[in-house]
């Protein structure tokens, strides 16, 4: 109990420190680094110094706290995925296809390209050169497109198949991707502004004091959400947290059902797909089921979308903070060369997609649409939206709407496949080639769609 309390207090102190430092350091404001990442880096430094210089007793207590923190990302990602569809009105399929097919196509090409590049690079080169498991290549899409939360969600998979180092390596890829995504994204925005590709950019020098430090002025503070139930019966936030918990429960029961069914149907199978299958994709399914039930019973108005976004945002901050703070430096140091190769390759591919595919596949606002995908494909959805707000602050283009529609299909597909792909490769390393071939096939299909769109744009 004491260790858990200390762990919570540690997270709180680090989050406040991260925000306080960002308030005082203009460079960090210009880089738009989130306070959670800054706090996580402080925690990483702190844990490293304690392990090296503190007394044995204090160092052991510190490691116990770090052990608790390492469990949190795997929990918080379940919360985030459970909220994806709660309180959201699902648009009609024809509206999604009509308004966002080119956006979806671009996002899928980037994501499947990361899978093809990462798995192929590891399987054909890095595994042989550095003695790494083929699953190392899965970390590119897992860390870049998935982020810290998706890596944390795979913790049980890493443990089930005896590759605990995968967690530290995945967090490192995710951290490098987020930081480089923000830095390069801002550089690209300034470059595009000077070249005349965009006109609505508000440079850092033109932003207000409150915008720079990341604080709303008192008179302009937006609502965090609307209460849907009276507090004399149950607090509205508690009600929404309960909805998240029910979604996680549905996902958990589905997972247990799948595991039991697999054993019953294939009792002598050596490879079991659902043995260490992560829970988070099924929590998303739980949210969809619960939202459908609420809609059918005409109770959907009891779930406020903005409150769900705040729950997800809170979970994301604490997830990123705990993930960065507990990266195992020793594991990273032992594998720094293949990590650099993997991260650099992923950045090059994603940058090429922005500047080579983006201008050709999008009929309008190609840079705004592309830079949003760049942010998400190297960090998290919030990073993509941050870059979009910078380049299109007043939503004059259709980029925000197209990106939102695209996420309805993109997130479920990639969330489920990245979990399946990692499980397949870890359960049997020989599976990497089949997973790679499948990824190549899907990539080619989306590339064909992209060529059709490009041809239509040229014809128009």
């Amino acid at each position: 109990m004491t260790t858990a309390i200390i762990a919570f207090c540690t997270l709180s102190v680090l989050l406040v420190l991260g925000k306080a430092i960002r308030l005082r350091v203009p460079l960090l404001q210009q880089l738009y680094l989130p306070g959670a990442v800054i706090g996580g880096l402080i925690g990483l430094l702190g844990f490293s110094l304690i392990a090296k210089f503190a007394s044995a007793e204090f160092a052991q207590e510190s490691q116990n706290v770090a052990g608790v923190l390492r469990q949190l990302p795997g929990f918080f990602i379940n919360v985030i995925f459970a909220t994806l569809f709660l309180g959201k009105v699902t648009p009609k399929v024809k509206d999604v296809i009509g308004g966002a097919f080119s956006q979806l196509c671009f996002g899928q090409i980037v994501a499947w390209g990361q899978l093809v590049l990462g798995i192929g690079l590891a399987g054909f080169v890095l595994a042989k050169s550095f003695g790494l498991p083929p699953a190392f290549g899965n970390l590119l899409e897992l860390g870049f497109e998935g982020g810290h939360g998706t890596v944390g969600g795979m913790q049980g998979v890493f443990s089930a198949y005896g590759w605990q180092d995968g967690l530290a390596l995945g967090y490192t890829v995710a951290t490098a991707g987020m930081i480089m995504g923000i830095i390069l994204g801002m550089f690209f925005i300034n470059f595009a502004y000077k070249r005349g590709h965009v006109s609505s950019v508000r440079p850092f020098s033109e932003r207000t004091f409150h915008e720079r430090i990341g604080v709303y002025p008192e008179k302009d503070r937006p609502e965090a959400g609307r209460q849907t139930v009276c507090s004399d019966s149950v607090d509205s936030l508690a009600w929404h947290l309960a909805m998240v918990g029910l979604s996680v429960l549905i996902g958990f029961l589905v997972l247990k059902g799948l595991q039991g069914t697999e054993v019953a149907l294939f009792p002598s199978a050596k490879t079991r797909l659902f043995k260490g299958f992560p829970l988070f994709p099924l929590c998303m399914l739980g949210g969809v089921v619960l939202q459908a039930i609420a809609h059918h019973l005409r109770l959907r108005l009891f779930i406020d979308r903005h409150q769900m976004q705040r729950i997800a945002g809170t979970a994301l901050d604490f997830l990123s903070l705990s993930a960065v703070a507990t990266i195992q430096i020793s594991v990273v140091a032992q594998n720094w060369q293949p990590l650099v190769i993997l991260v650099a390759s992923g950045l090059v591919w994603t940058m090429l997609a922005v500047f080579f595919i983006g201008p050709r596949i999008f009929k309008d606002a190609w840079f705004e649409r592309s830079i949003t995908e760049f942010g998400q494909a190297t960090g998290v959805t919030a990073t993509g939206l941050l870059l979009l707000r910078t380049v299109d602050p007043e939503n004059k283009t259709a980029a925000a709407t197209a990106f939102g529609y695209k996420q309805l299909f993109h997130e479920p597909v990639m969330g489920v496949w990245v979990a399946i792909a990692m499980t397949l490769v870890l359960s049997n390393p020989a599976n990497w080639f089949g997973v790679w071939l499948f990824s190549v096939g899907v990539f080619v299909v989306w590339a064909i769609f992209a060529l059709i769109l490009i041809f239509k744009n040229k014809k128009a």
Side-chain angles (χ1 to χ4, degrees), residues 46-60:
F47 282 125
S48 300
L49 292 176
I50 290 172
K52 191 170 184 179
F53 298 109
S55 64
E57 182 179 354
F58 190 67
Q60 182 57 51

Side-chain angles (χ1 to χ4, degrees), residues 357-406:
I357 302 176
R360 293 167 174 80
I361 198 173
F362 296 123
K363 289 193 296 184
D364 61 289
W366 75 265
F367 184 79
E368 289 88 345
R369 291 172 178 251
S370 300
I371 202 66
T372 309
E373 295 298 332
F374 177 81
Q376 187 201 22
T378 53
V380 291
T381 302
T383 305
L385 294 175
L386 165 68
L387 297 178
L388 177 59
R389 281 198 300 269
T390 303
V391 75
D392 185 19
E394 299 178 9
N395 285 334
K396 292 182 178 179
T397 72
T401 302
F403 181 75
Y405 278 168
K406 161 252 178 184

Side-chain angles (χ1 to χ4, degrees), residues 198-214:
V198 290
S199 57
S200 300
V201 173
R202 292 183 62 206
F204 185 78
S205 59
E206 295 181 9
R207 293 177 179 267
T208 66
F209 170 74
H210 288 95
E211 287 175 327
R212 292 182 185 184
I213 64 175

Side-chain angles (χ1 to χ4, degrees), residues 72-81 84 115 138-158 166-167 169-171 174 178 276-281 284 315-316 319-320 323 376 379-381 410-423:
L72 295 181
F75 166 74
F76 283 127
I77 189 60
N78 296 329
V79 173
I80 293 170
F81 266 71
L84 284 178
L115 276 166
N138 293 63
L139 295 179
L140 178 58
E141 203 273 348
L142 187 71
F144 268 31
E145 185 81 29
H148 294 95
T150 308
V151 176
M154 301 299 293
Q155 184 173 358
V157 183
F158 293 137
L167 191 65
L169 296 173
Y171 284 154
M178 176 180 285
F277 195 80
L279 177 60
F280 68 88
M284 176 183 61
L316 179 60
L319 183 157
S320 301
Q376 187 201 22
V380 291
T381 302
H410 183 83
E411 286 284 353
V413 169
M414 299 316 302
V416 171
W417 173 246
V418 72
I420 293 174
M422 179 63 82
T423 305

Side-chain angles (χ1 to χ4, degrees), residues 108-109 111-117 119-120 124 138 409 413-414 416-422 424-425 430-447:
Q108 288 284 294
I109 285 176
W112 288 98
Q114 288 180 357
L115 276 166
V116 171
L117 177 63
I119 297 173
F124 292 114
N138 293 63
F409 180 85
V413 169
M414 299 316 302
V416 171
W417 173 246
V418 72
I420 293 174
M422 179 63 82
L424 285 172
V425 178
N431 287 338
W432 77 265
F433 189 69
V435 172
W436 179 75
L437 279 180
F438 179 82
S439 300
V440 170
V442 177
F443 176 81
V444 169
V445 169
W446 283 108

Side-chain angles (χ1 to χ4, degrees), residues 289-356:
V289 171
L290 190 60
Q291 181 66 25
I293 293 173
H295 181 83
H296 180 71
L297 298 179
R298 298 183 180 179
L299 299 174
R300 63 184 184 279
L301 296 180
F302 286 10
I303 305 175
D304 181 69
R305 181 59 195 161
H306 294 292
Q307 288 215 40
M308 285 301 173
Q309 288 175 323
R310 297 286 65 76
I311 292 172
T314 300
L316 179 60
D317 275 343
F318 280 103
L319 183 157
S320 301
L321 181 59
S322 54
V324 175
T326 55
I327 292 174
Q328 294 174 284
I329 299 295
S330 59
V331 175
V332 177
Q334 292 171 5
N335 298 277
W336 71 269
Q337 290 174 303
L339 278 171
V340 169
I341 294 171
L342 191 71
V343 169
S345 301
L347 287 172
V348 169
W349 156 245
T350 311
M351 286 187 289
L352 285 174
V354 169
F355 289 102
F356 182 76

Side-chain angles (χ1 to χ4, degrees), residues 108-294:
Q108 288 284 294
I109 285 176
V110 172
W112 288 98
Q114 288 180 357
L115 276 166
V116 171
L117 177 63
I119 297 173
L121 192 61
F124 292 114
V125 180
L126 300 180
K128 299 174 182 177
S129 301
F130 297 97
L132 293 164
F136 181 81
N138 293 63
L139 295 179
L140 178 58
E141 203 273 348
L142 187 71
F144 268 31
E145 185 81 29
H148 294 95
T150 308
V151 176
M154 301 299 293
Q155 184 173 358
V157 183
F158 293 137
S159 298
Y161 295 105
W163 192 43
Q164 283 78 4
D165 287 355
L167 191 65
L169 296 173
Y171 284 154
T172 303
V173 173
T175 303
M178 176 180 285
I179 293 175
M180 292 305 298
I182 294 173
I183 293 174
L184 289 174
M186 290 301 170
F187 174 80
F188 294 152
I189 287 173
N190 288 316
F191 174 79
Y193 179 67
K194 291 177 182 177
R195 290 295 183 94
H197 296 308
V198 290
S199 57
S200 300
V201 173
R202 292 183 62 206
F204 185 78
S205 59
E206 295 181 9
R207 293 177 179 267
T208 66
F209 170 74
H210 288 95
E211 287 175 327
R212 292 182 185 184
I213 64 175
V215 174
Y216 287 114
E218 187 173 358
K219 61 183 178 65
D220 296 327
R221 290 176 180 171
E223 294 181 352
R226 293 186 177 274
Q227 299 187 58
T228 60
V229 292
C230 296
S231 58
D232 60 353
S233 61
V234 61
D235 185 81
S236 186
L237 180 58
W239 169 261
H240 284 78
L241 285 171
M243 294 299 101
V244 173
L246 285 177
S247 300
V248 174
L249 175 61
I250 293 171
F252 178 77
L253 293 176
V254 170
L255 178 59
K256 289 302 178 183
L258 291 172
Q259 290 173 340
T261 301
E262 185 178 44
V263 172
L265 294 177
F266 309 102
S268 58
K270 294 182 179 179
T271 301
R272 298 202 179 280
L273 177 60
F274 295 106
K275 173 185 175 182
F277 195 80
L279 177 60
F280 68 88
L282 301 176
C283 293
M284 176 183 61
L285 175 63
V288 172
V289 171
L290 190 60
Q291 181 66 25
I293 293 173

